[in-house]
Amino acid sequence: MNTTLTMAMPKGRIFEEAVDLLKQAGYPLPPEFDESRKLIIDVPEAELRFILAKPMDVPTYVEHGVADIGIAGKDVMLEEERDVYEVLDLNISACYLAVAGLPGGNHERIAPKIASKYPNVAAHYFREQGQQVEVIKLNGSIELAPLIGLADHIVDIVSTGRTLKENGLVELERIADITSRLIVNPASYRLHAVRINEMVERLRTLVESKGEKA
Ligand SMILES: Nc1ncnc2c1ncn2[C@@H]1O[C@H](COP(=O)(O)OP(=O)(O)OP(=O)(O)O)[C@@H](O)[C@H]1O
Ligand SMILES: O=P(O)(O)OC[C@H]1O[C@H](OP(=O)(O)OP(=O)(O)O)[C@H](O)[C@@H]1O
């Protein structure tokens, strides 16, 4: 049986930390990971194939089974609600999702406008609060929305808090802590249980040892 596992990796912010983690867990990732523009990288000596995807798309590849496993931010998992197993918190790329807005803006309408790259998370959060809202989906520069009157509030990622601060916005409510997760396609988990469990355990040991040192 072909035991090569396909792993969907998020390009961008998470990528470097995820590659470091895999290297530390003993996977021999070639220099291509540091410099190339290739979107498929085979590592035959580890029986692994990596596909490099947009972070928001990683659970889609895993749900459809074209990747057996993947790494995705919890923010993406909450937004996409894909049918995949979330098997390990890798504890990398930490940040959080928050509601933010201009300070002192309490002359609110019945259904305030909320701009976000995470429309499902935003809608779900306010529904739980019993608050009617109108969600406006944006793809970036979310902090712009309240500054130019497109929205009353935003739901966005906060890491250092610098973007909010430099744009004169304040955090209003914290929604969820975010780290990256190892995710698995359910059918692949049954088919490749031994290999996938071995990877999960290797990474779990590493993540726990890092946690103890911190
Ligand atoms: N400051 C941050 N801003 C956004 N995402 C962050 C931050 N810190 C960690 N993350 C994690 O990184 C992931 C996003 O990575 P990145 O910003 O590279 O992708 P992206 O949102 O697709 O970016 P872009 O649309 O700008 O290409 C998120 O899913 C989140 O889990
Ligand atoms: O708290 P901070 O450390 O400032 O980080 C948070 C900012 O980083 C992200 O934006 P990104 O840089 O991905 O740009 P974008 O506007 O294109 O999404 C996020 O959407 C916030 O705007």
Side-chain angles (χ1 to χ4, degrees):
M1 187 173 66
N2 175 15
T3 53
T4 294
L5 290 181
T6 299
M7 182 166 198
M9 293 285 278
K11 294 197 289 184
R13 278 192 168 90
I14 302 174
F15 186 72
E16 210 172 303
E17 271 191 276
V19 167
D20 277 351
L21 204 65
L22 288 168
K23 283 184 182 167
Q24 287 167 36
Y27 294 97
L29 305 191
E32 277 164 296
F33 274 87
D34 304 321
E35 59 221 32
S36 117
R37 294 276 306 156
K38 277 172 76 172
L39 299 176
I40 301 178
I41 303 178
D42 283 315
V43 185
E45 55 277 37
E47 293 184 299
L48 287 172
R49 158 171 281 195
F50 291 88
I51 61 172
L52 277 49
K54 282 292 277 186
M56 199 66 99
D57 294 336
V58 166
T60 310
Y61 291 97
V62 175
E63 181 182 63
H64 286 266
V66 291
D68 301 296
I69 47 184
I71 293 178
K74 183 68 183 176
D75 51 324
V76 170
M77 298 300 289
L78 293 170
E79 179 62 24
E80 291 283 306
E81 292 191 318
R82 295 283 170 175
D83 187 9
V84 298
Y85 294 154
E86 190 185 307
V87 292
L88 184 65
D89 182 348
L90 296 170
N91 209 15
I92 55 172
S93 300
C95 52
Y96 59 97
L97 274 166
V99 183
L102 286 163
N106 55 0
H107 39 82
E108 280 175 6
R109 26 182 151 227
I110 293 168
K113 293 183 183 180
I114 311 292
S116 186
K117 198 171 175 174
Y118 302 90
N120 293 329
V121 172
H124 182 260
Y125 177 76
F126 287 104
R127 200 179 312 123
E128 293 268 291
Q129 309 284 307
Q131 165 78 66
Q132 202 185 327
V133 294
E134 180 189 337
V135 177
I136 300 171
K137 163 84 169 42
L138 291 177
N139 293 300
S141 299
I142 314 298
E143 291 79 359
L144 202 50
L147 303 180
I148 55 154
L150 176 66
D152 301 291
H153 293 146
I154 61 170
V155 166
D156 199 20
I157 294 277
V158 181
S159 174
T160 61
R162 188 175 158 198
T163 311
L164 288 181
K165 193 160 180 239
E166 290 196 11
N167 290 290
L169 299 175
V170 289
E171 189 181 316
L172 301 170
E173 289 150 52
R174 195 165 170 136
I175 298 181
D177 288 330
I178 304 297
T179 45
S180 299
R181 310 300 163 106
L182 187 67
I183 62 172
V184 181
N185 171 277
S188 299
Y189 212 170
R190 286 191 289 278
L191 200 62
H192 303 290
V194 174
R195 284 225 45 212
I196 293 176
N197 279 328
E198 197 225 316
M199 177 181 271
V200 173
E201 288 319 313
R202 266 208 227 185
L203 287 166
R204 190 194 308 280
T205 307
L206 179 64
V207 170
E208 284 175 359
S209 76
K210 283 172 179 282
E212 279 158 21
K213 279 184 209 146

